[in-house]
Amino acid sequence: MPGNLYLTPAELVGLTGYKTRPGVSKWLDQNGWPSAGCGKDGWPRVLREYHDARMMGLAPARKKATATEPAWSVS
């Protein structure tokens, strides 16, 4: 679905190799991928922009966010 802000469930399955929402969520957490909670369908919401940056090596794995610094950014 081009133009979608978040990865689709099918794209999340392709990224993680897991076909269930709990499996995908666990994989994202274990591999340092931030998500913006869950959508109405219960699937984690991963920003497409972060995915693309991470795949190109421009974004590191998630780190702990502070009050003044986001969990990730593309410099």
Side-chain angles (χ1 to χ4, degrees):
M1 210 181 277
N4 194 348
L5 187 61
Y6 299 104
L7 297 181
T8 65
E11 290 170 318
L12 290 169
V13 167
L15 173 67
T16 66
Y18 287 91
K19 295 181 180 181
T20 64
R21 292 178 297 208
V24 168
S25 294
K26 184 176 180 180
W27 186 95
L28 292 171
D29 188 50
Q30 288 177 340
N31 290 280
W33 283 72
S35 65
C38 292
K40 291 180 182 179
D41 59 3
W43 283 87
R45 296 185 309 165
V46 174
L47 283 170
R48 183 173 303 285
E49 180 180 1
Y50 177 79
H51 169 271
D52 295 347
R54 181 101 180 243
M55 292 292 101
M56 291 187 289
L58 300 174
R62 177 183 55 204
K63 61 181 180 176
K64 295 284 183 185
T66 65
T68 58
E69 184 178 303
W72 76 276
S73 66
V74 176
S75 300

